[in-house]
Amino acid sequence: AQSVTQLGSHVSVSEGALVLLRCNYSSSVPPYLFWYVQYPNQGLQLLLKYTSAATLVKGINGFEAEFKKSETSFHLTKPSAHMSDAAEYFCAVSKQRTRQLTFGSGTQLTVLP
Amino acid sequence: DAGVIQSPRHEVTEMGQEVTLRCKPISGHNSLFWYRQTMMRGLELLIYFNNNVPIDDSGMPEDRFSAKMPNASFSTLKIQPSEPRDSAVYFCASSLVSGEYEQYFGPGTRLTVT
C-alpha cells in the first residue's frame, strides 16, 4: 500500500525567505503525487501534480516540486515566501490504477513578517 | 464554473439525531469521494464512487454511516444516530475517471454533535 510522510508538522519562515516543505512517499508502483493547500475554513486546493511526465513540476502561486525517485521524495519549494502563503499543505500519493489518494498528515506553514 | 458544492456548511445537532450531508460534484466529473478531517486523525477517505457506484467503502467507520449517489450530480452522507465523536469537517471531492487523478474539493461541512 502507498503512504506519504510529511516531515515537520509546523514550518516557520520569514517573508521573502525560501519555503521548503518535505514529503517522502512509499509506493510499490510508480506513483502519482500531489500537493494541496488548505486555507482556514476552506477545502483543499490543488497546487501541483506529478503524473510521470517532467520530474520538475510547476504549480500555482509560484510553487514547484521535484520528483526524485532515488530519494522517494517530492518536496515542495517556493523561492520567496509571501504572507498569503500561510496555510496548511498536504502531500498526497495515488496508485496509477486507482482513484484513491492517500494524504500526509499536513504541514502548517507560518510566514513571519 | 461552479466547483464542488456542499450543504450545509455548518451543522450542529444533538447526539442521537440523524444528520444528512449533501454534495453536488463538478458537472461532468464521474468520481466522487467523501472525506472526514479531524485534528486527531487528519484526512480520512470514507467512501468513493465511480459512475454513481460505490467502489470502496472500507473507510466508513461504522454502520451508522451510509452514503448514496442516486445520480451523477448528487450524493449524500448520512449518520444515524449521530454521536459526539462524529464531530469533524466532512469534505466531498470529485474527479474525472479518465483524468489524471486530481481531486477537486468542496468547502466542507463542519459538523458538531453535542
Side-chain angles (χ1 to χ4, degrees), chain A residues 32 34 36 38 41-44 46 49 51 88 90 94-101 103, chain B residues 9 31 33 35 37 43 45 48 50 56 91 96-97 99-103 105-107 110:
Chain A
Y32 288 175
F34 306 82
Y36 282 83
Q38 185 179 28
N41 300 314
Q42 294 187 26
L44 279 70
L46 180 68
K49 62 184 179 185
T51 55
E88 188 156 23
F90 293 90
S94 172
K95 285 185 179 179
Q96 286 199 20
R97 291 180 177 81
T98 76
R99 290 277 137 202
Q100 298 183 50
L101 295 182
F103 285 87
Chain B
R9 291 294 311 276
S31 287
F33 306 79
Y35 291 89
Q37 186 178 39
L43 261 172
L45 176 65
Y48 82 97
N50 278 353
D56 186 347
F91 289 104
L96 279 169
V97 171
E100 290 187 320
Y101 295 75
E102 65 265 36
Q103 296 176 17
F105 282 73
R110 182 174 296 277

Side-chain angles (χ1 to χ4, degrees), chain A residues 37-40 83-89 107-110:
Chain A
V37 60
Q38 185 179 28
Y39 298 102
M83 297 296 289
S84 61
D85 296 327
E88 188 156 23
Y89 292 80
T107 298
Q108 183 68 46
L109 175 66
T110 300

Side-chain angles (χ1 to χ4, degrees), chain A residues 6-64:
Chain A
Q6 291 185 239
L7 298 175
S9 59
H10 291 85
V11 170
S12 293
V13 299
S14 297
E15 190 174 19
L18 171 72
V19 176
L20 171 60
L21 305 182
R22 300 177 187 273
C23 172
N24 288 89
Y25 70 90
S26 172
S27 178
S28 57
V29 297
Y32 288 175
L33 293 158
F34 306 82
W35 276 100
Y36 282 83
V37 60
Q38 185 179 28
Y39 298 102
N41 300 314
Q42 294 187 26
L44 279 70
Q45 179 184 1
L46 180 68
L47 268 180
L48 49 79
K49 62 184 179 185
Y50 167 77
T51 55
S52 72
T55 56
L56 182 62
V57 180
K58 295 187 183 299
I60 62 172
N61 301 338
F63 284 93
E64 63 181 36

Side-chain angles (χ1 to χ4, degrees), chain B:
Chain B
D1 285 342
V4 175
I5 299 172
Q6 291 186 247
S7 64
R9 291 294 311 276
H10 301 273
E11 177 81 34
V12 180
T13 191
E14 292 183 348
M15 183 175 63
Q17 297 299 305
E18 177 180 295
V19 175
T20 300
L21 311 181
R22 297 172 176 79
C23 175
K24 177 178 171 57
I26 293 172
S27 178
H29 282 191
N30 45 13
S31 287
L32 185 138
F33 306 79
W34 282 101
Y35 291 89
R36 178 171 67 176
Q37 186 178 39
T38 61
M39 291 290 291
M40 292 296 294
R41 301 174 68 91
L43 261 172
E44 304 173 276
L45 176 65
L46 300 178
I47 185 171
Y48 82 97
F49 298 82
N50 278 353
N51 297 313
N52 312 337
V53 176
I55 302 301
D56 186 347
D57 65 354
S58 60
M60 297 285 262
E62 301 172 33
D63 291 344
R64 299 184 296 106
F65 286 69
S66 62
K68 293 182 180 180
M69 192 164 186
N71 57 62
S73 58
F74 184 66
S75 176
T76 59
L77 178 68
K78 185 177 293 186
I79 308 173
Q80 166 64 19
S82 58
E83 296 182 3
R85 60 193 167 123
D86 301 331
S87 298
V89 181
Y90 291 81
F91 289 104
C92 175
S94 69
S95 74
L96 279 169
V97 171
S98 58
E100 290 187 320
Y101 295 75
E102 65 265 36
Q103 296 176 17
Y104 295 87
F105 282 73
T109 295
R110 182 174 296 277
L111 174 65
T112 302
V113 183
T114 61

